Amino acid sequence: MAASLPAADDGPSYPKHPESTAVSAAETFALNFEAAYQRNDVLSSNGDPTYLTVKSRTVERSESRENGALAAVRLDMGCGFPEGDEGGTETPVTVHADYAAHATYFVGPTRAVRAEREGSERADPRTAANADVVACADPETPS
């Protein structure tokens, strides 16, 4: 099923489907797509953060598969939100949050599919119930 992706007015754009289904292309696509996804998710659902950073990007696992490649990624994120002023002072307080985002991508010749990891289980986006098609190949590009 095609995804309804989080979008924000000032958020990053999502990368296009890569022209290659090589493992390295799938890894790059997955890391860049997940960074845009996480940033847009925070910006669209939580307002205007004081800061929003990707602290680290890690490919946890990748492998070539028939007709494409799998890439499981982890992003460590940090963000802060203003919380008014505490105790009547004029200095606003920023609430800080750090979290890790995990997702697995399958990049095939015609589409890329994303599944969020739940708990310690890495779902295969080709068969996972929570998987979404996140990018399609340009029909004008030869396979």
Side-chain angles (χ1 to χ4, degrees):
M1 118 187 292
S4 175
L5 300 173
D9 291 338
D10 296 329
S13 58
Y14 291 99
K16 293 183 179 187
H17 184 277
E19 291 182 17
S20 169
T21 59
V23 170
S24 62
E27 290 173 349
T28 300
F29 174 82
L31 289 169
N32 291 336
F33 195 96
E34 194 61 24
Y37 185 95
Q38 293 301 321
R39 285 180 171 278
N40 281 321
D41 188 46
V42 169
L43 292 170
S44 67
S45 60
N46 294 308
D48 191 22
T50 306
Y51 67 91
L52 175 58
T53 61
V54 177
K55 294 180 170 190
S56 68
R57 301 169 180 229
T58 307
V59 175
E60 295 184 311
R61 175 180 58 106
S62 60
E63 57 191 73
S64 182
R65 293 290 178 105
E66 185 177 338
N67 296 321
L70 280 172
V73 298
R74 172 190 170 124
L75 272 63
D76 291 306
M77 305 290 295
C79 55
F81 295 94
E83 278 292 319
D85 58 349
E86 187 172 294
T89 68
E90 292 186 25
T91 305
V93 174
T94 298
V95 176
H96 304 277
D98 292 325
Y99 67 96
H102 300 267
T104 302
Y105 289 79
F106 174 76
V107 177
T110 60
R111 64 190 180 133
V113 184
R114 174 186 182 271
E116 284 189 34
R117 187 169 96 185
E118 297 181 16
S120 62
E121 188 163 328
R122 292 183 182 138
D124 185 331
R126 297 171 298 171
T127 58
N130 69 341
D132 290 307
V133 173
V134 295
C136 292
D138 182 353
E140 300 298 317
T141 303
S143 300

